[in-house]
Amino acid sequence: MLDIQLLRSDLDAVARRLADRGFEFPVAEFQALEAQRKVCQTATQDLQSRRNTLSKQIGVMKGKGEDTTAVMAEVAGLADELKRNEVELDVLRAKLDDLLLGIPNVPHASVPAGRSADDNVAVRSFGTPKAFSFEVKDHVDVGEGLGMLDFATAVKISGARFSLMKGAVARMHRAIAQFMLDVHTGEHGYTEVYVPYLVNAASMRGTGQLPKFEADLFGVPRGDEGKLYLIPTAEVPVTNMVRDEILAAESLPLKFVCHSPCFRSEAGSYGKDTRGMIRQHQFDKVELVQIVHPEKSHESLEALTDHAETILKRLDLPYRVMALCTGDMGFSSAKTYDLEVWLPAQNAYREISSCSNFESFQARRMQARFRGEKGKPEIAHTLNGSGLAVGRTLVAILENYQEADGSVTIPAALLPYMGGLKKIEKA
RNA sequence: GGAGAGGUGGCAGAGUGGUCGAAUGUACCUGACUCGAAAUCAGGCGUGGGCGCAAGCCCACCGUGGGUUCGAAUCCCACCCUCUCCGCCA
C-alpha cells in the first residue's frame, strides 16, 4: 500500500511513475473520493465532538441534580445526522481502501524502464554452460530414466501439476533444502524459522496477495468464518511475523530463512511448462526474508541477492542475474532481481529465484514498524528472495549434471548430505 | 469434541453506565540532589487518524464485530483467542 499522504501531496508524480510499470492510476476517481472523504470526515468529527460535549454536560448536570431535558433534546437532534455521516464515512473509507489496496508499488529510481520481460537487463552472470558430448535429456527423461521421477502416479493421486519423487532423487531434493538452510544460517546470519502453511486473510493482505490475487491461491474453507489459505511462499507467514509490531531499532535487521512447501493455483492456468516439474501446484522453496531500517533496504537487497547467488555458485550451476524492468515486476515490489539458472535441455536460462525490495509497501499494509531515532514509530522496509526454489534447483542439477549413460553426478556441495552416494544411477 | 475461567497501556493490576484514554505500581526518558552511582524528589511517557503554516484543536481505539443509551472499558448478542480440567490424537 502506498502512503496516502504522498498521494495527497504528490499525486501526479506517483501516477507518472506507476505509468512506467503499465499501471494507470485512477486520478480523477481518487481525487473525487478524497474530496468527499475530507468533507464527510470533518463534518462527522464535528458532530461527534458536539455530542461528546453535550453528553458530558448531562453527566455533570445530573450529578448536581439539575433538569437535563433541554440538553437531552438537543443532543437527540444530532443523532440522525450523525448516524448518516458515520455510515457515509465508512462507505467512503472502504472505497478509498479498496482503491489503495489495488495500486501496485512505485518502482525504485534505479529500475530499468520497460514493458515486458524482453526489457529486463542482464546485470551479471556466472559460469558458462557446459558443452555436452551427447544429446542432453530434459529432467523428466533423466528422472524417469532413473525410475525416480513418476509423474503418472502423481497425476493419479492428485492431478496435473504435481510430482512424485523416489529414492536418491527424493533424497537429493531433501539434501538441497538442507544445504541451503545450512549455508544461510551458518554463513549469512539468518535465523531458521518454521511457520504455519495455512494462513488467514489478514496475513495474505499484509504481503499483498489479497485482495487482488485470490484466484492464484488455494483456499481452505472453515465453517462460515476464518477461511484459511495455503501459502504460495514462506514470504507470507514469515513477513507477517512482524505484522502489528513495533520493533526496537536495535533489533533490526531481522533476517529469517524458512524452508516450506508452496502452493499455487495459478501455476496451471498458463499452458506453458506443462511438462515436468518447472511449474507446479506444490513445490518446496527456501525463502530469505529481511526486515530492515528504511535507509538500509537497497544495500540489503544487494546482500540478499548475493546470498541466493552463493547457493548457485556452490552448486556450480551457470546462472545470470536479471534486473527486472518496471513492466515485469511483481505487484508489491519496488525493485527485483531474478536469478536465472541454465537449463541445457531448454537451451535457456530459467528463473530460479526472485529477490525483491518492497520498501514500505508491505510493511505499511501490515503496520510493521520500529521505534525510530525520534522515538516515534516508523514503517520498516521488507525484503525477500528465494534462496532458492528447491524443485527447480533439482531440475537444474538433473540436467546440468547428467551423464551419457543416464546417471547423474551429485554436486560436491551436496555430498555431505547424501550418505556416501556420489552418483545417482538406475536402481 | 465436553465443562469452567478469563481477555484493559511494555509488564503487573484497578475500574461494572457519566469530566475514563483510563487509578496505582513497575519499567523507561528528562531534570534536581551526588565526585559518580544507588536511593529519593519533580516532570514526561500508548496507537491510528483528521484539520491547521504553526502553536494547537479535534476524532477513534479497553480481544473483534454488532446492539441498547443523550452517554459504554462497564449492559446485551455473536464471534475470535488464551488458560485449567476431561476426551481424542502425532
Side-chain angles (χ1 to χ4, degrees):
Chain A
M1 187 156 64
L2 299 179
D3 182 3
I4 193 162
Q5 308 288 0
L6 183 68
L7 294 177
R8 286 176 187 144
S9 62
D10 214 3
L11 183 57
D12 290 342
V14 172
R16 233 178 296 120
R17 294 175 67 191
L18 287 173
D20 284 345
R21 57 142 68 217
F23 182 85
E24 192 178 331
F25 192 102
V27 173
E29 187 190 346
F30 174 78
Q31 284 175 328
L33 273 174
E34 179 50 21
Q36 288 179 62
R37 187 231 97 224
K38 187 164 175 169
V39 170
C40 186
Q41 181 166 351
T42 310
T44 305
Q45 292 187 350
D46 280 351
L47 286 165
Q48 286 171 329
S49 174
R50 178 121 191 89
R51 179 203 58 199
N52 290 347
T53 308
L54 291 173
S55 290
K56 274 183 185 170
Q57 196 181 329
I58 291 170
V60 172
M61 289 171 77
K62 285 209 163 168
K64 294 182 192 158
E66 295 172 19
D67 176 39
T68 59
T69 44
V71 188
M72 282 177 70
E74 188 183 350
V75 68
L78 300 173
D80 278 357
E81 196 186 351
L82 178 57
K83 188 74 194 163
R84 225 181 315 113
N85 271 277
E86 285 177 338
V87 170
E88 190 191 340
L89 185 60
D90 276 351
V91 171
L92 287 169
R93 279 197 166 132
K95 282 186 183 169
L96 264 172
D97 231 41
D98 281 353
L99 192 149
L100 236 48
L101 285 172
I103 294 171
N105 203 357
V106 173
H108 186 256
S110 64
V111 173
R115 303 202 140 277
S116 73
D118 296 334
D119 301 316
N120 294 340
V121 175
V123 178
R124 59 182 169 272
S125 64
F126 169 86
T128 44
K130 181 177 162 190
F132 287 89
S133 58
F134 54 93
E135 190 167 342
V136 293
K137 294 186 277 195
D138 76 355
H139 69 280
V140 178
D141 288 340
V142 172
E144 288 184 339
L146 291 165
M148 296 176 186
L149 267 185
D150 184 351
F151 292 99
T153 302
V155 165
K156 177 176 74 180
I157 298 168
S158 299
R161 303 281 190 190
F162 289 92
S163 49
L164 193 153
M165 295 170 255
K166 291 186 285 194
V169 166
R171 174 158 192 165
M172 187 160 70
H173 183 262
R174 170 163 58 96
I176 290 166
Q178 301 285 62
F179 164 64
M180 291 175 182
L181 284 169
D182 285 350
V183 171
H184 294 311
T185 56
E187 301 177 34
H188 298 149
Y190 289 80
T191 301
E192 182 171 353
V193 290
Y194 173 88
V195 295
Y197 301 153
L198 286 163
V199 303
N200 55 34
S203 295
M204 285 296 186
R205 208 175 302 114
T207 31
Q209 282 75 18
L210 290 180
K212 220 175 175 177
F213 306 103
E214 175 147 26
D216 300 345
L217 302 169
F218 284 109
V220 180
R222 261 204 319 180
D224 16 86
E225 201 181 335
K227 179 181 183 181
L228 294 177
Y229 297 86
L230 280 163
I231 58 170
T233 157
E235 160 196 354
V236 177
V238 175
T239 312
N240 273 280
M241 285 166 66
V242 297
R243 171 154 56 87
D244 293 322
E245 296 291 331
I246 300 177
L247 306 159
E250 313 84 72
S251 70
L252 301 181
L254 296 176
K255 296 165 73 179
F256 297 113
V257 59
C258 181
H259 169 220
S260 84
C262 306
F263 302 93
R264 297 188 182 179
S265 134
E266 110 274 2
S269 61
Y270 289 108
K272 62 178 176 183
D273 298 319
T274 49
R275 180 177 163 84
M277 53 187 301
I278 295 283
R279 197 174 296 272
Q280 302 273 283
H281 285 316
Q282 173 187 323
F283 62 95
D284 276 29
K285 184 155 59 67
V286 170
E287 184 76 0
L288 304 172
V289 173
Q290 294 197 23
I291 316 294
V292 307
H293 191 285
E295 288 169 9
K296 300 278 177 59
S297 69
H298 281 280
E299 63 187 75
S300 297
L301 176 63
E302 301 301 323
L304 186 148
T305 305
D306 183 62
H307 297 153
E309 284 179 57
T310 298
I311 301 297
L312 287 164
K313 286 179 181 159
R314 297 278 176 88
L315 293 172
D316 202 23
L317 291 167
Y319 71 90
R320 63 180 185 180
V321 181
M322 305 296 288
L324 296 199
C325 73
T326 51
D328 198 33
M329 283 198 310
F331 178 77
S332 303
S333 177
K335 180 169 185 174
T336 299
Y337 292 116
D338 273 6
L339 306 188
E340 297 183 339
V341 69
W342 177 255
L343 294 186
Q346 296 194 10
N347 198 39
Y349 286 98
R350 294 300 306 265
E351 179 184 341
I352 196 168
S353 169
S354 193
C355 302
S356 299
N357 181 4
F358 303 94
E359 296 182 348
S360 60
F361 190 85
Q362 293 181 327
R364 183 171 298 105
R365 284 179 169 236
M366 60 185 151
Q367 288 294 302
R369 295 160 292 170
F370 68 99
R371 204 167 287 283
E373 294 75 22
K374 288 154 284 186
K376 283 281 157 201
E378 296 178 41
I379 307 285
H381 278 194
T382 63
L383 308 95
N384 69 55
S386 349
L388 311 161
V390 176
R392 288 190 182 180
T393 303
L394 178 77
V395 167
I397 291 170
L398 291 179
E399 296 199 3
N400 282 282
Y401 281 82
Q402 64 180 299
E403 304 293 344
D405 64 1
S407 66
V408 174
T409 301
I410 294 168
L414 296 182
L415 289 175
Y417 301 89
M418 292 301 290
L421 200 64
K422 293 188 169 57
K423 179 181 260 209
I424 302 178
E425 293 170 294
K426 190 174 169 112

